[in-house]
C-alpha cells in the first residue's frame, strides 16, 4: 500500500514550500524602495520576516487548490444545527462591495456618510420590527459579543438601580457554551438549570434557583434542543417577579422569523446572529454580526455607536447622546460590511419573505424528522414538533452496531454531505442536531436520509469500514491527541528547525 | 419567495409525509397569544435589479472623497487576486472547521496565517483571529491578568496616546471583571509615552503595561525602555502594533532583552478594505509559555490514520464549546474570511513588497508634511519619529478647516479636539501608498485657500470693528 502512495502525497505543500529566495509578485508593490529616512536605525527591523516568496500565479494556484479541499454551502448540503447554513445570496456580497461603500472611511464626516448611515438606520428599524424590541444597536461583531452586550446591559441596569446583590445568571443545561462563558466575562456566576424530558425548562428547578441573587436568565427559544419553549410567558413572569431580566439568544431566530417576536414573549434583551438568520456568509469561521435589541428599560444602556436621525439627516449617536451606554465594543462601528449584506437580504425578502423563512425552514426540518423516524432512527423528543431544527440520538446504533454519532458524521462526508452538529447539546447522548434551512430543496433532504439509511446498512455488514471513514477526502480522521500534545502551530524555516 | 426552492407540489408531498394539512399546523405548539401579525414597515420584497439600484444610489451619495484620515483604519492597495480568491464560495460559505476532513483548505490556510503572523511579529504562537484590534487588546488584557503568575494584580497601565476607541473598548470589555486601567500620560513635546510618569509606578503590583507602536499620534515609541521597565516590575508587556509597520520596524518579539509577552492589533492593513470600519480582524500572538491562556481558535498540524499530514483545531479545552464558564473567552465566530484575505495578501506581496509599501507610506507622509508645513502657521506638533501618520498644529479650529475641505471632497484628517483638547488645534493626518503627488498638491492647495480666506475673513471683520 505504502509503495503505491508516492511519498510526496503524505506531505502537505505549504505556501512557504513554494518559495524561492528572490522571487516575488512584482506587480504587487511599488517599483522603487523609498527607504525610511525619518526613522532612527535602532527602531528599524534588521531581519526580514520569512513570508512566502512566490509569483502571483503560484499564490493564486495554491489558494485556489486549497479552497477545493473545503466543504461549503455553495458546494454541499451543510445541515449544521444551530448555525443556519442557508444560501448566501450573491447580490448581498456584490452590493456591499460597491465602491462608495467599500472605500468609506469609518471616521468620514456625516456629509460623506448619508448613504451608509441611512442604511444602518433602516436596518435598526427593520430589526426592531422583526424582534418586537424598542431599540436596536448594530455594534456587536458576532453572537457572543451580542451576548456580552446584553448581559453587560442587564448588569448596568441593576447597578443603576443600586441593586448590587445580584450575582447570578441562570443558564439552561442545553445552552450554547458562549452563554455561560459570557456570564463570567460580565462578572457573574453562571448557574445551570436542567431541562425536562420533554425539552422544556424544568419550572421547579427554575423556581428553586430564582432569588434576590438572580440578575437574569439566558434562553434560546426555540431552544438548542430544537423545540419551542411553550411556557415562556410563565418563565418571563417568574423571572421578572424575582427582579431578574430575560436574555434571548437569537441563534435560532430563523425558526420564528415573521411569526413570533422575542419582544412579545417577554424578553428584555436579545441578540441576533445576522450570519445565520440574515444569511450573511460564515466565511470559514466569521465574520458575523450580532446586533442587540432591547425593551424600553434597557434602552439607555445600548452599546455605541448607533445611528439617529432628525427626520432628514442621519448622524452617529455616541457617548454624548448616550451617557449611560455600556460603551464601545470595537474601534469603529462593528462589522459594517456584514450589516450592509444583511440589509440587502432583508430588503429582498420583505415582510412576506421573512415569514416564508420560518415556514419553509420548519417544513424542511419536520419533513426530515418524520422521514428519519419512519426509517427507524430515534428522535430525542419524538412527542414534540420540530422547529427549524431537531435532534436525533444515535445511542441505539452505538450500542447495537458499535457505530457512534461521530462515525455517522464522518461517513456522511463520504456521501458528499456536511455532517450535522454532533455532540451538542451535551445532554443528549450520541446526538445529531440537524438544521436543513429553508433554501434546501427536497432532493437534498432525501439524499441525506438515504445516506443515513445506507450508512446504517453498511454498519450492519461492515462496521469497521464505517468507523474508518472518511475515505474520499484529502485526509482521513486526524489525530487530535497528537495535535494537542505535540504542538505544531506554525511553519518554521529549516535552519530554525535544525536549531530547535 | 426568494431563495426557497419548493414547488407547490413538493409542499403538498412534504406536508403529507409529515401528516399535517398546512404549514400553519407545524407551529401548533406555539401559544396563539405569542403569534404576531404581518410585520409592519418592511414593505414588499425587491428583486435583484431594484435592490441594486437602491444600493448604487446610496453608494453614490457617499461619494469617493480624497481621504487623509487614518486613525486606526488605513487605505491600502489590495491586489485584485485577494478578494477574487477570498470570495470563492468554498471560503466564503464554509463555517468553522469543526469537521476537519472536510475543511482542510480553511485549516491549512489558517495554519499558514499563524505562521506568517508569528514571522511578522517574531512571536512564538498566534491564534486564528479575534474580532478587531480594539477587542483583541481587551482579550490580551484578560489573558495577561490570567497569565501573570508573579502578580495577583488586576491593574493594567494604559498610555493616553493609545487609540481612544481602543481604550474605551477595553474599558467596556474588562471592567465587569474588576480590572482597573491606569492611564499613563504622554510627553507633550515628543508625543511618546512619558517615561518619567511611568517611573512613578515602579515597585507597584501590576499585571501588565500596554505599549503601542506606532501610537495614536503616529509617533514611534521607545519600545525597548518600556518593555524592559515592565519586565523589571514583574508586569507583562502587551504590544499593540500596526502589522504593516512591522515589516520595517523592530517587531514585538525583539523588544527589550526578551521581547514583548503578548502582541495584538488590527489586521486591517493586510487586505481588508476600509468598509466603514469593518469587518477587519484582530490578531493575537504570544510567547509559547502563554499559549494555554490564549482565547480563540488555534490550528495545529498533525497526521491522519494513514500517517498523512493534515490540520485540525487544537487546544480546544480553552474554548467555550468545551469549557463553558471556565473558557478563556466567550468568542466563537471570529473573523475567518478576513484572515483568508490577509493570508493571500501577505503571500502575494511578500516581505519585500511589504517593505516597499511601508517605505512608500513613510515617504508619502514626509512629502505631505513638507507640503502642508510650507504653509504659514502649520507645523508638526510632536518631535518624535513617525511612520505614516502625524499630528499637525493648525492656526484655526480643525473642525472648520475639515468642513471646508470636505465641501471640496477632501477628508483632511482626524480632529483631535474631542479626545485631546489640551493639544489645541491639532489634526492627525495620514498618507499611504494610495496617495500620489497630485492628491497631495490638491490637499495643499485647498488648505492654502482655507487659510487665506480665513485671513481675509478675519481682516474683513477687523475692518468692521475699525
Ligand atoms: C445557540 C447559540 N448561541 C450563541 C452562539 C454564538 O454566536 P457566534 O458564534 O456568532 O458568536 C451560537 C453560534 O455559534 C449558537 O449556536
Amino acid at each position: 500500500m505504502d509503495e503505491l502512495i508516492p511519498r510526496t502525497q503524505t506531505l502537505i505543500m505549504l505556501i512557504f514550500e513554494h518559495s524561492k529566495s528572490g522571487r516575488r509578485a512584482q506587480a504587487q508593490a511599488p517599483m522603487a524602495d523609498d527607504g525610511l529616512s525619518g526613522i532612527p536605525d535602532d527602531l528599524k527591523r534588521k531581519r526580514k520576516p520569512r513570508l512566502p516568496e512566490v509569483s502571483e500565479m503560484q499564490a493564486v494556484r495554491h489558494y485556489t487548490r486549497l479552497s477545493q479541499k473545503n466543504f461549503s454551502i455553495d458546494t454541499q448540503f451543510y445541515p449544521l444545527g444551530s448555525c443556519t447554513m442557508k444560501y448566501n445570496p450573491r447580490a448581498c456580497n456584490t452590493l456591499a462591495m460597491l465602491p462608495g461603500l467599500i472605500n468609506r472611511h469609518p471616521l468620514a464626516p456625516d456629509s460623506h456618510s448619508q448613504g451608509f448611515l441611512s442604511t444602518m438606520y433602516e436596518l435598526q428599524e427593520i430589526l426592531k420590527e422583526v424582534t418586537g424590541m424598542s431599540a436596536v444597536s448594530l455594534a456587536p461583531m458576532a453572537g457572543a459579543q451580542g451576548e456580552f452586550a446584553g448581559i453587560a446591559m442587564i448588569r448596568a441596569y441593576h447597578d443603576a438601580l443600586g441593586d448590587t446583590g445580584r450575582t447570578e445568571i441562570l443558564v439552561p443545561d442545553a445552552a450554547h457554551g458562549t452563554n455561560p462563558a459570557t456570564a463570567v466575562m460580565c462578572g457573574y456566576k453562571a448557574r445551570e438549570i436542567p431541562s425536562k424530558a420533554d425539552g422544556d425548562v424544568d419550572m421547579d428547578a427554575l423556581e428553586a434557583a430564582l432569588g434576590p441573587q438572580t440578575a437574569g436568565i439566558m434562553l434560546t427559544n426555540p431552544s438548542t434542543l430544537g423545540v419551542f419553549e411553550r411556557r415562556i410567558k410563565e418563565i418571563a413572569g417568574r423571572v421578572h417577579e424575582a427582579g431578574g431580566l430575560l436574555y434571548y439568544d437569537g441563534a435560532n431566530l430563523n425558526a420564528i422569523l415573521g411569526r413570533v417576536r422575542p419582544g412579545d414573549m417577554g424578553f428584555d434583551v436579545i441578540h441576533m446572529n445576522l450570519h445565520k438568520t440574515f444569511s450573511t456568509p460564515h466565511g470559514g469561521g466569521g465574520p458575523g454580526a450580532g446586533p442587540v435589541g432591547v425593551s424600553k428599560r434597557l434602552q439607555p444602556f445600548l452599546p455605541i455607536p448607533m445611528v439617529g436621525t432628525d427626520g432628514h439627516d442621519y448622524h452617529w449617536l455616541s457617548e454624548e447622546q448616550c451617557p449611560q451606554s455600556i460603551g464601545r465594543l470595537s474601534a469603529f462601528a462593528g462589522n459594517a460590511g456584514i450589516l450592509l449584506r444583511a440589509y440587502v437580504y432583508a430588503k429582498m425578502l420583505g415582510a412576506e419573505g421573512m415569514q416564508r423563512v420560518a415556514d419553509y425552514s420548519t417544513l424542511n426540518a419536520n419533513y426530515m424528522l418524520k422521514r428519519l423516524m419512519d426509517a427507524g432512527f430515534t428522535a430525542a423528543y419524538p412527542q414534540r414538533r420540530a422547529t427549524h431544527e431537531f435532534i436525533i440520538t444515535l445511542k441505539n446504533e452505538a450500542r447495537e452496531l458499535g457505530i457512534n454519532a461521530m462515525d455517522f458524521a464522518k461517513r456522511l462526508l463520504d456521501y458528499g454531505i456536511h455532517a450535522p452538529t454532533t455532540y451538542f447539546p451535551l445532554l443528549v447522548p450520541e446526538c445529531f442536531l440537524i438544521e436543513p434551512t429553508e433554501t434546501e430543496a427536497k432532493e437534498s433532504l432525501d439524499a441525506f436520509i438515504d445516506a443515513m439509511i445506507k450508512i446504517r446498512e453498511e454498519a450492519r455488514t461492515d462496521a469497521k469500514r464505517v468507523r474508518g471513514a472518511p475515505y474520499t477526502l484529502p485526509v482521513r480522521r486526524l489525530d487530535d491527541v497528537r495535535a494537542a500534545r505535540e504542538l505544531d502551530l506554525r511553519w518554521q524555516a529549516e535552519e530554525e528547525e535544525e536549531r530547535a | 419567495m426568494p431563495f426557497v426552492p419548493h414547488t407547490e407540489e413538493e409542499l403538498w408531498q412534504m406536508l403529507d409525509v409529515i401528516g399535517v394539512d398546512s404549514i400553519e399546523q407545524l407551529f401548533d405548539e406555539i401559544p396563539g397569544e405569542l403569534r404576531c401579525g404581518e410585520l409592519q414597515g418592511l414593505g414588499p420584497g425587491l428583486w435583484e435589479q431594484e435592490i441594486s439600484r437602491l444600493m448604487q444610489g446610496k453608494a453614490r451619495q457617499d461619494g469617493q472623497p480624497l481621504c487623509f484620515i487614518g486613525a486606526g483604519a488605513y487605505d491600502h492597495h489590495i491586489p485584485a487576486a485577494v478578494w477574487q480568491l477570498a470570495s470563492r464560495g468554498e471560503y466564503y460559505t464554509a463555517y468553522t472547521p469543526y469537521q476537519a476532513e472536510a475543511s482542510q483548505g480553511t485549516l491549512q490556510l489558517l495554519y499558514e496565517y499563524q505562521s506568517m503572523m508569528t514571522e511578522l511579529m517574531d512571536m512564538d504562537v498566534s491564534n486564528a483571529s479575534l474580532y478587531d484590534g480594539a477587542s483583541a487588546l481587551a482579550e490580551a488584557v484578560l489573558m495577561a491578568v490570567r497569565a501573570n503568575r508573579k502578580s495577583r494584580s488586576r491593574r493594567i497601565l494604559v498610555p493616553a496616546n493609545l487609540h481612544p476607541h481602543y481604550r474605551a473598548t477595553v474599558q467596556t470589555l474588562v471592567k465587569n471583571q474588576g480590572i482597573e486601567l491606569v492611564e499613563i500620560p504622554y510627553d507633550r513635546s515628543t508625543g511618546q509615552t512619558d517615561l518619567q510618569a511611568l517611573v512613578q509606578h515602579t515597585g507597584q503590583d501590576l499585571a501588565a503595561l500596554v505599549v503601542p507602536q506606532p501610537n495614536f499620534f503616529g509617533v514611534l515609541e521607545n519600545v525597548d525602555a518600556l518593555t524592559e521597565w515592565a519586565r523589571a516590575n514583574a508586569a507583562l508587556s502587551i504590544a499593540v502594533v500596526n502589522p504593516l509597520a512591522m515589516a520595517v520596524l523592530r517587531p514585538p518579539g525583539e523588544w527589550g532583552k526578551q521581547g514583548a509577552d503578548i502582541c495584538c492589533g488590527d489586521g486591517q492593513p493586510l487586505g481588508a478594505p476600509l468598509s466603514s470600519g469593518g469587518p477587519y480582524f484582530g490578531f493575537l500572538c504570544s510567547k509559547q509559555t502563554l499559549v494555554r491562556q490564549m482565547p480563540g481558535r488555534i490550528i495545529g498540524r498533525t497526521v491522519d490514520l494513514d500517517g498523512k499530514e493534515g490540520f485540525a483545531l487544537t487546544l480546544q479545552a480553552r474554548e467555550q464549546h468545551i469549557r463553558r464558564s471556565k473558557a478563556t473567552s466567550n468568542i466563537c465566530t471570529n473573523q475567518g474570511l478576513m484572515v483568508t484575505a490577509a493570508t493571500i495578501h501577505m503571500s502575494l506581496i511578500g516581505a519585500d513588497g511589504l517593505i516597499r509599501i511601508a517605505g512608500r507610506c513613510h515617504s508619502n507622509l514626509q512629502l505631505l508634511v513638507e507640503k502642508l508645513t510650507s504653509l504659514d502657521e502649520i507645523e508638526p506638533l510632536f518631535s518624535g519619529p513617525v511612520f505614516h501618520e502625524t499630528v499637525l498644529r493648525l492656526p484655526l479650529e480643525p473642525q472648520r478647516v475639515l468642513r471646508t475641505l470636505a465641501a471640496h471632497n477632501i477628508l483632511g484628517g482626524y480632529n483631535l479636539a474631542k479626545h485631546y483638547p489640551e493639544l489645541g488645534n491639532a489634526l492627525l493626518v495620514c498618507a499611504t501608498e494610495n496617495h500620489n503627488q497630485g492628491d497631495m498638491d490638491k490637499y495643499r492647495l485647498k488648505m492654502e485657500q482655507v487659510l487665506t480666506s480665513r485671513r481675509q475673513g478675519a481682516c474683513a471683520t477687523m475692518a468692521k470693528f475699525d
Side-chain angles (χ1 to χ4, degrees):
Chain A
M1 184 72 178
D2 272 348
E3 290 137 52
L4 294 179
I5 304 172
R7 173 80 188 135
T8 48
Q9 273 190 12
T10 68
L11 290 173
I12 289 296
M13 193 82 174
L14 295 172
I15 185 77
F16 298 93
E17 287 146 2
H18 293 288
S19 275
K20 279 268 164 66
S21 175
R23 188 187 277 153
R24 66 188 183 90
Q26 296 187 21
Q28 301 307 343
M31 297 299 166
D33 184 353
D34 295 357
L36 295 158
S37 58
I39 296 181
D41 268 347
D42 65 335
L43 289 177
K44 284 187 196 156
R45 184 166 186 144
K46 304 291 175 319
R47 185 184 66 74
K48 268 197 303 197
R50 280 159 300 198
L51 297 180
E53 298 181 274
V54 294
S55 72
E56 184 163 333
M57 190 190 74
Q58 284 179 307
V60 168
R61 193 174 282 166
H62 178 78
Y63 289 108
T64 302
R65 283 200 176 172
L66 275 194
S67 77
Q68 292 169 332
K69 296 185 175 186
N70 274 358
F71 275 31
S72 67
I73 300 172
D74 281 5
T75 50
Q76 275 91 6
F77 180 32
Y78 210 127
L80 193 65
S82 205
C83 298
T84 314
M85 302 299 282
K86 61 168 102 176
Y87 171 64
N88 304 146
R90 278 294 190 263
C92 302
N93 190 38
T94 300
L95 298 177
M97 308 265 263
L98 289 172
L101 298 172
I102 198 83
N103 297 329
R104 185 183 163 278
H105 193 284
L107 300 171
D110 291 354
S111 62
H112 286 71
S113 307
Q114 291 300 303
F116 173 72
L117 290 175
S118 64
T119 313
M120 293 299 107
Y121 183 81
E122 283 178 56
L123 182 59
Q124 287 172 189
E125 294 295 305
I126 291 170
L127 297 180
K128 264 163 67 175
E129 174 61 20
V130 165
T131 58
M133 307 306 284
S134 311
V136 163
S137 165
L138 305 172
M141 290 177 284
Q145 214 190 26
E147 291 175 31
F148 178 92
I151 300 302
M153 282 190 268
I154 289 177
R155 190 177 170 124
Y157 170 83
H158 291 309
D159 285 352
L161 294 175
D163 191 355
T164 52
R166 298 189 179 270
T167 53
E168 277 181 10
I169 292 284
L170 304 181
V171 182
D173 53 3
H176 195 261
T178 49
N179 291 186
T182 296
V184 168
M185 281 186 88
C186 290
Y188 285 118
K189 209 175 126 236
R191 177 159 173 182
E192 261 198 14
I193 46 172
S195 308
K196 283 191 309 177
D198 64 1
D200 284 347
V201 165
D202 183 333
M203 288 302 284
D204 295 336
L206 174 67
E207 204 63 57
L210 285 169
Q213 78 291 351
T214 307
I217 185 169
M218 299 179 88
L219 287 174
T220 315
N221 198 16
S223 73
T224 54
L225 299 173
V227 296
F228 191 87
E229 176 60 63
R230 290 165 290 194
R231 293 206 278 181
I232 183 59
K233 273 287 200 192
E234 200 183 328
I235 296 176
R238 285 299 299 118
V239 174
H240 281 145
E241 273 165 37
L245 298 185
L246 282 90
Y247 182 88
Y248 181 87
D249 176 334
N252 291 345
L253 194 62
N254 217 52
I256 56 169
L257 200 61
R259 287 224 166 236
V260 182
R261 308 189 308 166
D264 301 335
M265 293 188 231
F267 283 96
D268 299 284
V269 48
I270 89 161
H271 88 259
M272 291 150 265
N273 296 69
L274 298 186
H275 44 302
K276 301 180 179 179
T277 316
F278 284 76
S279 205
T280 68
H282 285 83
V292 279
V294 290
S295 59
K296 274 247 142 38
R297 58 176 148 188
L298 289 181
Q299 206 165 323
F301 307 108
L302 278 168
I304 50 172
M306 287 176 279
V307 178
T309 181
D310 57 12
H312 187 257
D313 290 328
Y314 300 88
H315 54 265
W316 290 110
L317 301 174
S318 200
E319 296 88 340
E320 296 82 5
Q321 296 82 8
C322 314
Q324 283 184 283
S325 163
I326 57 161
R328 287 191 157 272
L329 298 168
S330 70
F332 300 109
N335 281 333
I338 300 303
L339 299 169
L340 288 171
R341 285 167 173 81
Y343 173 81
V344 171
Y345 179 74
K347 294 297 276 187
M348 290 179 89
L349 290 192
E352 204 189 341
M354 297 265 176
Q355 190 183 323
R356 292 268 158 78
V357 166
D359 288 359
Y360 284 82
S361 59
T362 303
L363 175 74
N364 276 357
N366 278 283
Y367 173 78
M368 284 184 85
L369 173 60
K370 185 64 177 17
R371 280 215 55 204
L372 284 166
M373 284 171 71
D374 288 348
F377 288 98
T378 312
Y381 302 98
Q383 73 282 31
R384 304 289 308 266
R385 286 259 187 249
T387 56
H388 68 312
E389 64 187 359
F390 62 95
I391 298 180
I392 61 168
T393 167
L394 297 160
K395 60 173 192 242
N396 293 340
E397 287 76 6
R399 196 181 52 237
E400 288 158 19
L401 306 171
I403 298 300
N404 64 21
M406 192 53 78
D407 299 326
F408 269 94
K410 298 302 183 193
R411 191 60 176 148
L412 275 172
L413 303 177
D414 279 333
Y415 283 87
I417 296 171
H418 194 282
T421 297
T422 48
Y423 299 101
F424 172 79
L426 307 170
L427 65 154
V428 183
E430 300 299 335
C431 73
F432 264 12
L433 178 60
I434 304 173
E435 181 182 9
T437 83
E438 73 279 6
T439 59
E440 216 57 53
K442 180 169 171 293
E443 295 92 308
S444 317
L445 315 182
D446 289 334
F448 178 93
I449 289 143
D450 293 346
M452 287 295 287
I453 294 169
K454 275 202 204 130
I455 294 168
R456 194 180 46 192
E457 277 310 307
E458 250 184 322
R460 291 198 174 115
T461 54
D462 188 357
K464 210 167 138 232
R465 178 143 182 90
V466 178
R467 280 197 295 269
Y471 299 96
T472 58
L473 297 178
V475 291
R476 297 187 55 208
R477 282 191 217 189
L478 291 157
D479 188 343
D480 290 328
V481 175
R482 170 169 160 158
R485 228 180 252 153
E486 299 168 33
L487 285 180
D488 175 355
L489 309 180
R490 65 179 177 117
W491 167 85
Q492 306 207 346
E494 260 164 39
E495 75 257 30
E496 205 173 316
E497 264 178 27
E498 276 158 24
R499 234 187 301 138
Chain B
M1 223 196 305
F3 317 121
V4 173
H6 303 63
T7 65
E8 184 80 16
E9 197 191 332
E10 281 173 330
L11 169 61
W12 295 117
Q13 281 172 1
M14 292 171 78
L15 290 173
D16 198 41
V17 168
I18 301 168
V20 294
D21 301 328
S22 64
I23 287 186
E24 193 58 37
Q25 218 180 320
L26 298 175
F27 293 89
D28 58 6
E29 285 191 3
I30 301 179
E33 48 165 359
L34 294 179
R35 307 285 295 273
C36 63
E38 192 181 324
L39 298 174
Q40 300 303 305
L42 294 193
L46 306 180
W47 70 296
E48 197 171 297
Q49 185 274 345
E50 289 168 324
I51 185 68
S52 301
R53 284 296 295 266
L54 179 71
M55 295 309 289
Q56 282 155 3
K58 284 175 183 283
R60 241 189 330 271
Q61 216 181 335
D62 291 351
Q64 294 240 47
L66 179 55
C67 179
F68 293 91
I69 311 175
Y74 303 99
D75 183 21
H76 291 293
H77 175 72
I78 303 172
V82 169
W83 281 97
Q84 283 192 18
L85 287 168
S87 302
R88 283 179 66 94
E90 298 93 327
Y91 290 129
Y92 190 74
T93 72
Y95 201 14
T96 304
Y98 292 122
Q99 292 294 335
E101 302 85 349
S103 316
Q104 285 298 300
T106 289
L107 285 163
Q108 181 175 335
L109 183 143
L110 291 173
Y111 178 88
E112 293 179 356
Y113 162 79
Q114 291 172 185
S115 308
M116 292 180 201
M117 226 52 207
T118 48
E119 268 299 319
L120 197 54
M121 300 298 151
D122 201 5
M123 300 293 284
D124 299 329
V125 288
S126 164
N127 77 0
S129 80
L130 297 168
Y131 302 130
D132 81 332
S135 59
L137 176 58
E139 290 282 11
V141 163
L142 295 172
M143 182 175 165
V145 169
R146 286 192 298 273
N148 193 338
R149 297 261 158 70
K150 290 191 198 138
S151 159
R152 301 262 82 181
S153 168
R154 299 179 90 76
R155 295 176 80 219
I156 308 280
L157 302 184
V158 182
N161 60 19
L162 176 76
H163 197 307
H165 289 178
Y166 277 48
R167 283 185 279 141
T169 303
V170 174
Q171 174 70 11
T172 308
L173 294 175
V174 310
K175 69 173 173 222
N176 289 330
Q177 296 189 57
I179 290 168
E180 186 195 352
L181 306 179
V182 181
E183 190 170 293
I184 303 296
Y186 58 89
D187 182 313
R188 288 288 285 275
S189 71
T190 64
Q192 293 164 326
T193 301
D194 186 344
L195 285 167
Q196 245 39 58
L198 190 60
V199 167
Q200 290 169 16
H201 296 276
T202 299
Q204 292 177 357
D205 197 11
L206 301 164
L209 168 71
V210 174
V211 183
Q213 183 75 326
N215 65 34
F216 185 60
F217 301 139
V219 173
L220 303 184
E221 291 284 349
N222 187 348
V223 289
D224 292 327
L226 294 169
T227 313
E228 280 307 303
W229 184 89
R231 205 161 64 85
N233 287 276
L236 297 186
S237 45
I238 303 174
V240 187
V241 302
N242 177 326
L244 174 63
M246 293 306 110
V248 292
L249 300 180
R250 284 221 334 277
E254 294 179 14
W255 295 0
K257 290 199 190 80
Q258 296 180 3
D261 298 289
I262 302 173
C263 95
C264 64
D266 202 304
Q268 183 271 331
L270 303 174
L274 288 173
S275 184
S276 295
Y280 300 163
F281 69 93
F283 61 85
L284 183 68
C285 302
S286 78
K287 291 188 169 163
Q288 185 74 39
T289 47
L290 304 183
V291 67
R292 284 188 164 72
Q293 295 302 337
M294 266 209 170
R297 317 252 185 239
I298 298 177
I299 283 68
R301 177 154 57 172
T302 181
V303 294
D304 75 358
L305 283 175
D306 298 334
K308 187 175 174 184
E309 287 189 338
F311 304 88
L313 293 168
T314 195
L315 297 178
Q316 294 188 74
R318 302 163 298 109
E319 292 192 70
Q320 47 74 29
H321 62 281
I322 307 284
R323 258 316 182 55
R324 300 178 74 83
S325 62
K326 298 200 174 58
T328 51
S329 166
N330 70 344
I331 193 166
C332 177
T333 293
N334 58 22
Q335 304 281 118
L337 192 67
M338 311 316 292
V339 165
T340 304
T343 307
I344 300 169
H345 188 87
M346 285 188 274
S347 302
L348 280 167
I349 295 179
D352 285 315
L354 290 179
I355 290 166
R356 282 171 192 231
I357 289 167
R360 180 58 52 86
C361 291
H362 180 68
S363 63
N364 274 351
L365 179 74
Q366 288 178 316
L367 203 58
L368 179 67
V369 169
E370 206 174 285
K371 284 182 194 292
L372 292 177
T373 55
S374 72
L375 300 171
D376 261 0
E377 300 177 83
I378 295 187
E379 59 186 10
L381 195 69
F382 296 119
S383 62
V386 295
F387 171 51
H388 68 349
E389 196 163 20
T390 195
V391 182
L392 298 177
R393 192 201 312 276
L394 304 186
L396 65 167
E397 276 177 26
Q399 198 190 343
R400 287 171 55 197
V401 178
L402 291 175
R403 208 182 299 132
T404 316
L405 289 171
H408 290 95
N409 221 20
I410 296 173
L411 308 184
Y414 183 71
N415 182 3
L416 294 182
K418 177 174 165 184
H419 295 288
Y420 302 94
E422 70 277 12
L423 292 178
N425 295 331
L427 182 69
L428 182 66
V429 295
C430 173
T432 71
E433 78 282 8
N434 271 355
H435 296 108
N436 63 22
Q437 287 269 3
D439 298 334
M440 293 187 252
D441 285 335
K442 195 167 156 200
Y443 186 13
R444 182 192 175 281
L445 184 69
K446 288 295 164 203
M447 180 67 99
E448 185 170 27
Q449 287 170 0
V450 173
L451 298 184
T452 315
S453 72
R454 193 260 332 205
R455 235 171 270 127
Q456 284 164 353
C459 292
T461 14
M462 262 188 269
K464 245 188 277 159
F465 275 95
D466 282 343

